[in-house]
Amino acid sequence: MTYNELSQEQRRATLTQLRGDYISFQSRGLKLDMSRGKPCKEQLDLSMDMLDAALLADVKDSTGFDSRNYGVPDGIPECRALFGELLGVPAENVLIFGNSSLNIMYDLIGQYWTHGTGGGAKPWSQQRSVKFLCPVPGYDRHFGILEHFGIEMLQVHMTAEGPDVKVLAELVADPAVKGMFCVPKYSNPTGVTFSDENVRAIAALSPAANDFRVIWDNAYCVHDLREGGESLLNIFAEAEKHGHEDYFIEVISTSKISFAGAGISVLAASKANIAAVKSRLAVQTIGHDKVNQLRHARYFRDAAGVYAHMQRHRALLEPKFDAVLECLERELGGLGIAQWTNPAGGYFISLDVPKNCAKRVGQLCREAGVVLTPPGATYPLGIDPNDSNIRIAPTLPPIDELETAAELLCLCAKIAALEKLEG
Ligand code: PMP
């Protein structure tokens, strides 16, 4: 029976019993964290050989340049080639940055804000209105950058194929719409990989703004959780068919491949966009950490090396996702109060509880010692108009803790749903 079908008496009895279970959870003094998509210790341990001094017995890059010294702001050639291979773009269309792709994204928006996208376009700060497309639910830190610059965020619903392209096509007719942040593979938090048709439609968009830029944040490009994984079309190959390659900037990092706090990040773009970013970089830095670039290039060698390494991550993460999914199915399946994703990759499970219940679930969890990503965070300005989406991040906690946290989460979802039915 779904909760909707229960009689008032049955509902009250169920709620009383669940509240009893909740009190026993509270008495356990739990302190569990399912809030952020951080790799666990065992995942970080997978890359420890990268710190082996033998890997740097020779500190010169493939051109004979001493990686310890100043210079080479584009990144060392072997690293550009490795990530070019991984992303399916020529090495000259790739730049290597520091440890955070979020930093690349912030700097891109900052560059467009103060200096424009190049080719004579006015800085965004000097334009009357600047708006960005935001597929929702989405990644809170993308929204954070846009909020920081005072850029208006237009929400676009995520379908099972990617952002609703009909809505995108309508919205880009407004010249104030300057771009979009999106996560095309194993999206944060929905796990959706944009379908071929969806990527083709995005590549074909005809924005009214000629300084339109999509930040193609491919953070989870190699992060399969299931055998075979899902595949994503190459955005540049599709965009070139329409002469739209300047509209797209792709970013990735090794934050969830090697070390979340000490990896490297990568930007891939058209010739014109690379030139524009390089002219800024010439002022911004004398070069990023090339010793770390050398470590990464030598440790992984090529794209196949990265894929082989990601299988080891998968072996650690798949059981964690399964544990949460089994709990959701066992506890919430058939009650008619929740829907959740079963992602083939990435770092999250997205859970939808009844309208106006997500914050209550977050509060109940917190008061029993489990921290979730704050409900609302998956929407611009932290406001989920339905107050129903909850992002579950299963990677960090050990599996026994994760099972406990997932059980509590389900219990809180049931209590919140029944409280709502009780009015
Ligand atoms: N993009 C997405 C979609 C993410 O989920 C994350 C991490 N949660 C990042 C970027 C952050 O990447 P980095 O560590 O390279 O800054």
Side-chain angles (χ1 to χ4, degrees), residues 99-102 105 139 183 188 217 219-220 253 255-256 348:
N99 72 307
S100 162
S101 64
L102 195 75
M105 295 185 255
Y139 177 36
V183 185
N188 177 350
D217 179 0
Y220 300 105
S253 76
S255 290
K256 281 138 194 162
F348 305 102

Side-chain angles (χ1 to χ4, degrees), residues 95-112 145 181 215 249-253 264-268 277 280 284 288:
L95 299 174
I96 311 294
F97 287 69
N99 72 307
S100 162
S101 64
L102 195 75
N103 200 163
I104 303 182
M105 295 185 255
Y106 179 93
D107 282 348
L108 278 171
I109 301 297
Q111 173 178 346
Y112 301 154
I145 293 174
F181 267 113
I215 314 291
I249 310 267
E250 181 166 12
V251 296
I252 63 160
S253 76
I264 55 177
S265 60
V266 179
L267 177 151
V277 170
R280 180 197 86 221
Q284 194 174 20
H288 294 105

Side-chain angles (χ1 to χ4, degrees), residues 109-126 280:
I109 301 297
Q111 173 178 346
Y112 301 154
W113 192 255
T114 55
H115 287 74
T117 55
K122 252 195 188 176
W124 288 356
S125 59
Q126 290 174 22
R280 180 197 86 221

Side-chain angles (χ1 to χ4, degrees), residues 239-254:
E240 274 166 16
K241 293 178 188 166
H242 307 275
H244 288 173
E245 59 275 18
D246 290 345
Y247 292 155
F248 296 90
I249 310 267
E250 181 166 12
V251 296
I252 63 160
S253 76
T254 65

Side-chain angles (χ1 to χ4, degrees), residues 39-40 43-48 50 223 253-264 292 296 299-300 309-310 313:
C40 63
Q43 285 180 273
L44 299 170
D45 286 343
L46 292 175
S47 302
M48 282 308 284
M50 195 186 283
H223 300 63
S253 76
T254 65
S255 290
K256 281 138 194 162
I257 298 174
S258 58
F259 302 120
I264 55 177
N292 203 21
H296 279 76
Y299 181 76
F300 290 118
H309 186 77
M310 293 313 289
H313 280 280

Side-chain angles (χ1 to χ4, degrees), residues 37-58:
K38 286 186 192 171
C40 63
K41 179 184 180 301
E42 293 76 11
Q43 285 180 273
L44 299 170
D45 286 343
L46 292 175
S47 302
M48 282 308 284
D49 285 351
M50 195 186 283
L51 302 182
D52 188 339
L55 215 53
L56 292 176
D58 172 8

